[in-house]
Amino acid sequence: LYLYDVCYFYNSSLADTDIDIRSLAQEAAMDLILKAPHKILPVLPKLILPFKRAFNTRDKRIIISALKVLQTMVLVGMLKSVF
């Protein structure tokens, strides 16, 4: 599996209404981001649609989960660029 496939799966699962699937997807996406920060930038354009799908649900819990993953991506990207 490529990182894109795994990230896409986890980010598309962020829009799931089942709390167990959504929290598993959130934790797995964050683990991938923290373990391979150098691979975030190449897959970022492919993750726009899963994030858009999560935001379009208008469900606060789903939006918060997606924003937490997005925030982690930004923070790790900023730390990577500083060091």
Side-chain angles (χ1 to χ4, degrees), residues 6-83:
V6 175
C7 283
Y8 183 83
F9 169 74
Y10 287 126
N11 280 324
S12 63
S13 297
L14 284 173
D16 201 303
T17 55
D18 185 8
I19 184 70
D20 294 330
I21 294 174
R22 191 172 60 248
S23 58
L24 175 66
Q26 181 182 352
E27 289 300 316
M30 289 198 185
D31 284 346
L32 283 171
I33 293 165
L34 295 173
K35 302 253 192 255
H38 58 285
K39 295 185 178 184
I40 294 172
L41 194 58
V43 299
L44 192 58
K46 307 286 188 202
L47 300 178
I48 292 172
L49 287 178
F51 277 117
K52 183 178 176 183
R53 189 176 309 119
F55 295 142
N56 283 338
T57 63
R58 307 278 194 239
D59 185 336
K60 289 180 187 178
R61 297 167 298 178
I62 293 173
I63 293 172
I64 289 171
S65 294
L67 284 174
K68 285 181 181 178
V69 172
L70 193 58
Q71 181 182 26
T72 303
M73 292 174 80
V74 169
L75 290 174
V76 168
M78 286 175 49
L79 288 175
K80 184 183 170 212
S81 67
V82 170
F83 295 109

